[in-house]
Amino acid sequence: MKNDFPDTDAQRLGSEIREVRKARGLTLNDLSEAVSCSTAYLSRIELGSAKVSEDLLTEISTALEVDPDWFFPKQSGAGSLERKHVVRAESRRSLSGMYTRTTEELGFEDELLSSTLSGQCYLILSRFRPGAGTPPEPLEGYSFEGEQHAIVLTGEVELRLDNEVIVLRKGDSFSYPSMIAHRFRNRTDKEATMVWAMLPVRISW
């Protein structure tokens, strides 16, 4: 973990701290009470205009229940733009550990395909284990402001949109406003995978 980085990295780090904080349902005041830092300084950190010491980042990460190293993805490549914007398959970051619901309840595990959470939208790879995703009763559908777009890469996934049940197979894609109540599950005995584009950035389930 590094504790000194250029402004562009400070802005990315600050944006991702903000997104994880929001995913945890915490206000700046809430986070400030959990760490040795004022609300005003935390705000500057999230805006990328203040530096973060290693000790303070450890405090923030503990409060947000995320490993500090998550904020520093492995970057490789010959050029600075490649290192900044390209995510190698072996360097993807997990998102599932940040969710308020368990993998068992959701029925899938997510990896971040985008290089950062600080953009207007982001890409996710979801893996549905065989037979996973059987929802609790009564069926709870998720709904929130934004859009979801995805394509099934492998396997078969059952999508429930409002009261409609739709079976999606390899190559099928979809898009819908995420205010429509939705839920997914894999009822087959084979793993299924999907790639998502979601807007706006939201990592709470």
Side-chain angles (χ1 to χ4, degrees):
M1 182 170 64
K2 49 186 177 180
N3 58 9
D4 188 23
F5 25 81
D7 289 344
T8 52
D9 284 349
Q11 291 166 0
R12 179 196 59 76
L13 174 61
S15 294
E16 293 191 342
I17 288 174
R18 180 178 64 249
E19 292 304 327
V20 176
R21 172 180 63 77
K22 289 165 61 180
R24 293 300 188 209
L26 300 175
T27 65
L28 278 169
N29 287 335
D30 293 333
L31 184 56
S32 176
E33 291 176 0
V35 301
S36 56
C37 181
S38 69
T39 300
Y41 196 78
L42 279 175
S43 179
R44 290 182 58 203
I45 289 173
E46 292 190 357
L47 291 172
S49 61
K51 298 294 185 181
V52 189
S53 69
E54 185 170 334
D55 287 344
L56 179 55
L57 183 58
T58 298
E59 288 187 49
I60 291 172
S61 299
T62 299
L64 295 178
E65 300 179 51
V66 58
D67 190 307
D69 288 335
W70 189 91
F71 292 110
F72 299 96
K74 295 179 181 179
Q75 298 171 309
S76 60
S80 60
L81 292 178
E82 179 182 355
R83 290 191 296 273
K84 180 178 180 181
H85 297 293
V86 174
V87 179
R88 300 298 176 189
E90 66 275 10
S91 300
R92 295 176 190 149
R93 294 185 284 175
S94 172
L95 289 176
S96 295
M98 297 183 178
Y99 297 156
T100 52
R101 293 177 174 86
T102 65
T103 298
E104 287 70 26
E105 181 183 354
L106 291 171
F108 56 82
E109 297 179 50
D110 285 344
E111 292 179 323
L112 182 63
L113 298 179
S114 298
S115 58
T116 178
L117 286 175
S118 62
Q120 298 301 308
C121 70
Y122 65 138
L123 283 178
I124 298 173
L125 174 67
S126 290
R127 299 182 185 277
F128 294 78
R129 295 193 306 273
T134 301
E137 296 295 343
L139 178 66
E140 176 193 4
Y142 306 126
S143 62
F144 42 85
E145 292 185 3
E147 299 177 12
Q148 293 183 312
H149 307 254
I151 183 169
V152 178
L153 299 184
T154 63
E156 180 178 300
V157 177
E158 181 185 279
L159 163 64
R160 180 164 184 154
L161 282 181
D162 199 6
N163 292 321
E164 293 186 27
V165 176
I166 305 160
V167 176
L168 302 166
R169 299 179 178 87
K170 179 180 177 180
D172 292 342
S173 58
F174 60 85
S175 57
Y176 54 80
S178 46
M179 285 299 294
I180 300 175
H182 54 277
R183 185 89 191 208
F184 295 87
R185 57 179 164 181
N186 175 5
R187 283 181 157 177
T188 75
D189 59 358
K190 296 181 180 179
E191 182 184 73
T193 58
M194 291 197 307
V195 168
W196 298 77
M198 296 183 66
L199 173 76
V201 173
R202 179 187 183 278
I203 57 172
S204 57
W205 283 93

